[in-house]
Amino acid sequence: MKHLHSGKVRDLYETPDGLLLMVASDRVSAFDHVLRPDIPDKGEILTRLSLWWFDQLRDIVPNHLVSTDVPAEFAGRGVLCRPLRMVPVECVARGYLTGGGLLEYRAGGTVSGVRLPEGLTDGSRLPEPIFTPSTKAPQGRHDEPMTYDQVVAEVGADVAERLRRITLDVYERGARIALDRGIILADTKIELGWDENGELTLGDEVLTPDSSRFWPLDQWEPGRTQPSFDKQFVRNWLLSPESGWDRASGEAPPPLPDEIVERTRSRYVEAYERLTGEPFRS
């Protein structure tokens, strides 16, 4: 196999027959740094959760999956998939206001050009889910919000509407399933591309803690940062005096303590088990 690319979390290979082998590692990143040590089982959790969601979304949008029959060294973390010509837009749906959307709202009352009601705060539920696309920035640079009109200019009116509809449909299906399990899906990002027949197809990962914000419903309280099922423990520790790391220094962060690694792993496991209803280790 030919190694094509290694990102912060995933490694990509090309097989002799032209398929792609996508491998999710246990690496964890925060603030544009890949951290050490890894989070045990993270890659397998992300892979298994995406596979589960592909099944839940099959009637909404096709996906790139071909097989999970991969070399033994990648078992559980790798999938064989069809190559796609990726859409040059990050497709994001939000049902709650937080993160970068909250910052944009505070600055001008809009998110990706969508005007929102006054008085919203961190964690507020939106009147209805909205499509908030962004640019696909090169590695090392940040994505920038796009208005819907900018998406139309980039890909055309027909494709833009299909991107919006698919993204919102995926969000709404995911949010409904998650809510039934006591979890809020605040927002999510999906990757779409054209297959060899020109059909828009779901690629990469979907509705995982790395591509989405999941919050425990029983702890949801607008007006503050919500607890979440992701690498929140990592971010919090890095920004705390305990880490001793100066984010503005440009230096690499220190190694993660064992306690932070274990607490982060436990959140990923809990998200998987609550969403799927299956034990992570059978």
Side-chain angles (χ1 to χ4, degrees):
M1 290 183 295
K2 178 183 178 182
H3 177 253
L4 298 179
H5 175 71
S6 287
K8 292 176 183 176
V9 174
R10 283 174 173 74
D11 301 309
L12 193 64
Y13 303 84
E14 184 179 41
T15 67
D17 56 1
L19 295 177
L20 297 178
L21 172 63
M22 188 173 67
V23 181
S25 74
D26 291 340
R27 297 189 294 269
V28 63
S29 67
F31 307 118
D32 295 323
H33 291 274
V34 176
L35 309 174
R36 289 291 181 265
D38 295 344
I39 306 299
D41 299 316
K42 178 173 177 280
E44 185 173 349
I45 292 168
L46 296 181
T47 300
R48 288 173 58 175
L49 191 53
S50 285
L51 292 173
W52 187 83
W53 280 114
F54 283 150
D55 282 340
Q56 312 305 312
L57 302 168
R58 195 173 298 276
D59 61 320
I60 293 177
V61 59
N63 61 71
H64 67 167
L65 180 67
V66 174
S67 172
T68 57
D69 184 13
V70 299
E73 64 188 291
F74 302 128
R77 300 183 295 113
V79 294
L80 287 170
C81 50
R82 291 174 290 152
L84 304 176
R85 182 168 58 89
M86 302 310 294
V87 172
V89 173
E90 294 281 8
C91 294
V92 180
R94 301 176 191 271
Y96 295 75
L97 188 62
T98 193
L102 176 63
L103 296 177
E104 189 181 349
Y105 169 79
R106 286 173 171 169
T110 65
V111 179
S112 291
V114 179
R115 176 66 58 181
L116 296 177
E118 296 181 0
L120 301 181
T121 187
D122 196 352
S124 290
R125 183 175 181 177
L126 302 179
E128 61 181 5
I130 58 174
F131 179 55
T132 58
S134 65
T135 61
K136 280 192 172 181
Q139 187 169 347
R141 298 175 61 184
H142 295 291
D143 298 335
E144 297 294 335
M146 298 178 72
T147 66
Y148 185 72
D149 287 345
Q150 288 173 321
V151 177
V152 170
E154 183 73 36
V155 299
D158 179 63
V159 172
E161 178 53 34
R162 291 167 65 198
L163 295 178
R164 175 163 63 181
R165 187 68 265 155
I166 291 171
T167 304
L168 290 173
D169 285 349
V170 167
Y171 172 82
E172 288 166 359
R173 175 70 59 81
R176 177 177 58 78
I177 291 173
L179 198 61
D180 287 344
R181 289 147 171 82
I183 294 175
I184 289 173
L185 173 59
D187 54 44
T188 193
K189 179 186 75 172
I190 65 173
E191 298 279 355
L192 291 166
W194 291 278
D195 68 5
E196 65 275 13
N197 299 314
E199 185 171 14
L200 276 173
T201 301
L202 188 59
D204 198 34
E205 62 182 325
V206 62
L207 294 170
T208 72
D210 272 19
S211 65
S212 314
R213 285 187 176 91
F214 291 108
W215 300 335
L217 175 61
D218 60 1
Q219 298 178 54
W220 174 52
E221 184 182 324
R224 63 173 175 84
T225 301
Q226 311 300 315
S228 60
F229 292 99
D230 58 14
K231 52 192 176 186
Q232 175 183 326
F233 290 119
V234 170
R235 298 189 195 97
N236 291 349
W237 181 79
L238 287 173
L239 295 176
S240 72
E242 183 183 351
S243 76
W245 180 57
D246 179 4
R247 183 179 177 185
S249 70
E251 296 179 358
L256 301 174
D258 292 345
E259 178 190 4
I260 299 301
V261 170
E262 179 51 38
R263 292 175 72 185
T264 301
R265 178 189 179 276
S266 70
R267 293 301 268 176
Y268 278 85
V269 171
E270 183 180 357
Y272 174 85
E273 293 184 339
R274 289 182 62 171
L275 288 168
T276 67
E278 304 167 356
F280 175 59
R281 295 297 187 194
S282 57

